[in-house]
């Protein structure tokens, strides 16, 4: 049985200025770790035998119909503009149209050097590959827009980072890999024909109802405002919200030094490279607005009436903070069981969060336990929760049908950092049991699951993960 992927490529038909044609670089001894059967069915992929798939998903063989390319983009990295980035360790094999009618990219990540590698080896080691597989699939199960993971394969080769590491390749699926930085590179170079072509392509692929560059900007704003509010509602910290990691499709993309909070604090940072806290948990809404402003600056370049475009783009960008706030409020109202809106809801929610920060309460477990004694047990001083609970219950009495807070607003399982690290350490030694267990439990994050109580537990002091790494 041969692996069959029904490719229907569109980006590879754009001019060569948009990418470099690049095949994956073969590896020594490919071996499958995991294949996502459910996602494969959605993509209309027919799996082959294990060795056939290992060859394809490690980059040793190119499936029929693929047109491998490395995409060009630039971007602001921690506020500093880098004029050329691009896929330095990834190859886009091509696109499929799924059973749901949606077009998606299939990309190999860690597939070897490309013209955009910037002296890097183009490879990935096992840890970040497994992290992205587990966390991206967990995000999908949480109902949050995200890239997904189709497969992971060992390469049988060693990758050198802080030391020798086993190599691996991730097969990533996205509704596209178009980023804010994809627009920035053509705007910065003054290549307006390419910028216009890209804008038209993005509208056709993602937002066919949008009219022109400013219509695209509005659509991206709306998608990002929704996405960031969803991140905040589950305690997710992206860790590296550079413009090259900001999808114009409104999906979570590029799971590098990402993490979910255990103990709640608004200034939480996990990324080892974010020394100034630019991408801290509480800064994510502001950074999303900043990133949108960079997209606006790029899109304006192609408009003849610059003055009118600047005025309209300013209006669009300036509307985003309030939109983010309203989306945030909607999400957090649901997390405390509210279906209606009252003026005091913001103060009620922030009052709980303030007590959680002061009381070192676990973010996920506190919200999941609201309405039970287990909620107050999350706080160093449980009495600090009691006053808030009294106000909360009074507010609930004004709800005709309050939500059950244990439903789709508050997961019981998240990819906790210490479990991810334990999974990676075991996998490096050849033990994938925890990887498969986490994948299975996190596929049902809102369900209570027998035998999985340990995966709800916050880390002990000696298990706390203080920093996460890009892994590049």
């Amino acid at each position: 049985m041969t692996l069959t992927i029904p490719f229907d490529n569109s980006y590879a038909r754009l001019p060569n200025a948009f990418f470099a044609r690049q095949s994956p670089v073969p590896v020594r001894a490919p071996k499958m770790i995991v294949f996502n059967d459910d996602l494969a069915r959605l993509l209309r992929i027919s799996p082959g035998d294990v060795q056939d798939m290992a060859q394809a998903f490690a980059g040793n063989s190119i499936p029929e119909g693929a047109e491998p390319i490395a995409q060009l983009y630039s971007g602001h990295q921690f506020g500093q503009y880098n004029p050329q980035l691009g896929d330095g360790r990834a190859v886009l094999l091509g696109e499929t149209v799924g059973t749901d009618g949606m077009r998606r990219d299939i990309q190999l990540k860690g597939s070897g050097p490309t013209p955009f590698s910037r002296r890097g080896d183009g490879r990935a080691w096992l840890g970040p590959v497994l992290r992205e597989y587990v966390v991206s699939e967990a995000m999908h199960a949480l109902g949050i827009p995200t890239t997904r993971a189709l497969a992971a394969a060992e390469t049988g080769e060693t990758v050198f980072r802080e030391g020798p590491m086993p190599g691996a390749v991730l097969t990533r699926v996205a509704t596209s890999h178009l980023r804010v930085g994809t627009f920035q590179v053509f705007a910065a170079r003054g290549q307006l024909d390419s910028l216009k072509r890209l804008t038209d392509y993005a509208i056709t692929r993602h937002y066919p109802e949008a009219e022109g560059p400013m219509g695209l900007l509005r659509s991206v704003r709306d998608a990002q405002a929704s996405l960031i509010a969803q991140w905040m509602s589950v305690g997710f910290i992206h860790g590296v919200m550079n413009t090259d990691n900001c999808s114009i499709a409104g999906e979570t993309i590029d799971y590098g030094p990402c993490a979910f909070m255990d103990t709640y604090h608004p200034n939480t940072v996990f990324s080892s490279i974010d020394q100034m806290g630019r991408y801290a948990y509480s800064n994510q809404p502001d950074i999303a607005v900043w990133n949108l402003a960079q997209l606006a600056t790029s899109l304006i370049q192609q408009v003849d009436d610059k003055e009118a475009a600047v005025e309209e783009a300013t209006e669009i960008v300036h509307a985003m903070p309030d939109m983010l706030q309203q989306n945030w409020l909607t999400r957090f109202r649901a997390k405390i069981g509210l279906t209606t809106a009252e003026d005091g809801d913001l103060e009620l929610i922030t009052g709980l969060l303030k007590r959680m920060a002061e009381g070192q309460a676990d973010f996920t477990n506190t919200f999941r336990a609201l309405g039970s004694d287990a909620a107050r047990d999350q706080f160093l001083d449980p009495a600090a929760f009691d006053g808030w609970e009294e106000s909360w219950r009074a507010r609930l009495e004004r709800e005709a049908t309050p939500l059950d807070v244990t439903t789709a607003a508050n997961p019981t399982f998240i990819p906790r950092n210490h479990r991810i690290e334990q999974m990676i350490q075991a996998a490096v030694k050849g033990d994938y049991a925890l990887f498969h267990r986490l994948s299975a439990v996190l596929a049902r994050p809102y369900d209570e699951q027998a035998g999985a109580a340990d995966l709800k537990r916050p880390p002990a002091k000696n298990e706390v993960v203080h920093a996460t790494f890009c892994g590049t």
Side-chain angles (χ1 to χ4, degrees), residues 78-403:
F78 292 89
Q80 301 298 312
Y81 184 66
N82 190 324
Q84 181 170 299
L85 297 169
D87 290 334
R89 59 179 183 133
V91 166
L92 174 63
L93 290 179
E95 306 154 26
T96 66
V97 178
T99 58
D100 57 357
M102 182 174 290
R103 179 177 296 274
R104 294 178 177 86
D105 288 353
I106 300 177
Q107 182 197 69
L108 299 184
K109 190 173 180 181
S111 54
T114 78
F116 309 123
S117 292
R118 304 181 300 281
R119 299 186 301 278
D121 63 10
R123 293 302 187 186
W125 76 274
L126 182 63
V129 166
L130 296 184
R131 175 187 291 274
E132 180 158 350
Y133 191 102
V134 169
V135 178
S136 63
E137 284 302 295
M139 289 287 270
H140 171 71
L142 287 166
I144 298 175
T146 179
T147 60
R148 297 192 62 188
L150 176 63
E154 297 177 2
T155 65
E157 298 179 349
T158 299
V159 173
F160 292 91
R161 295 297 180 258
E162 60 269 23
M165 307 288 189
V169 177
L170 175 77
T171 305
R172 179 165 72 182
V173 173
T175 56
S176 86
H177 285 83
L178 296 180
R179 312 150 187 271
V180 171
T182 317
F183 293 81
Q184 287 183 287
V185 69
F186 297 121
R189 294 178 177 182
Q191 296 174 348
L192 299 187
D193 287 344
S194 292
L195 182 60
K196 290 177 181 177
R197 184 77 175 265
L198 177 64
T199 301
D200 291 343
Y201 177 86
I203 289 172
T204 299
R205 182 159 179 176
H206 291 296
Y207 305 110
E209 73 287 352
E211 296 184 7
M214 294 302 102
L216 175 61
L217 185 65
R218 287 182 190 275
S219 295
V220 174
R221 177 199 63 187
D222 295 354
Q224 282 288 325
S226 174
L227 176 66
I228 303 305
Q230 291 179 76
W231 286 1
M232 304 294 281
S233 73
V234 294
F236 177 74
I237 304 168
H238 185 279
V240 62
M241 288 178 66
N242 296 329
T243 57
D244 58 296
N245 295 334
C246 180
S247 164
I248 65 113
E251 288 184 328
T252 314
I253 191 171
D254 286 328
Y255 291 89
C258 64
F260 284 74
M261 279 193 296
D262 295 304
T263 299
Y264 172 75
H265 196 285
N267 297 331
T268 301
V269 175
F270 283 99
S271 172
S272 62
I273 57 177
D274 192 3
Q275 298 298 319
M276 304 303 292
R278 175 182 174 87
Y279 300 138
Y281 170 78
S282 61
N283 287 347
Q284 293 180 134
D286 290 341
I287 292 299
V289 176
W290 194 91
N291 287 349
L292 187 76
Q294 310 318 307
L295 177 61
T297 300
S298 298
L299 290 173
I300 286 168
Q301 306 308 312
Q302 66 192 285
V303 180
D304 292 333
D305 189 344
K306 295 288 192 297
E307 186 175 343
V310 168
E311 183 177 347
E312 186 173 3
T314 300
E315 173 216 331
I316 292 168
V317 174
H318 283 186
M320 192 176 185
D322 184 63
M323 187 175 293
L324 278 158
Q325 174 82 310
Q326 293 307 312
N327 286 339
W328 184 93
L329 263 174
T330 297
R331 293 282 168 182
F332 276 81
R333 279 191 179 108
K335 288 180 76 64
I336 63 171
L338 305 180
T339 59
T340 61
E342 290 187 5
D343 289 341
D345 291 347
L346 177 61
E347 290 73 18
L348 182 66
I349 295 164
T350 55
L352 173 60
L353 292 172
K354 183 174 183 293
R355 286 170 170 80
M356 288 170 62
E358 293 170 347
Q360 299 181 30
D362 183 83
F363 183 88
T364 301
N365 290 348
T366 299
F367 280 104
R368 180 74 179 191
L370 287 179
S372 71
D373 290 340
R376 70 190 305 272
D377 293 341
Q378 298 295 321
F379 294 76
L380 289 178
D381 177 12
F385 173 74
D386 295 340
W388 180 86
E389 185 180 31
E390 183 178 344
S391 299
W392 172 57
R393 291 195 178 279
R395 172 68 178 85
L396 283 180
E397 289 178 0
R398 298 194 292 276
E399 289 281 316
T401 54
L403 292 173

Side-chain angles (χ1 to χ4, degrees), residues 393-416:
R393 291 195 178 279
R395 172 68 178 85
L396 283 180
E397 289 178 0
R398 298 194 292 276
E399 289 281 316
T401 54
L403 292 173
D404 178 356
V405 297
T406 64
T407 58
N410 294 315
T412 190
F413 296 102
I414 57 167
R416 291 193 178 267

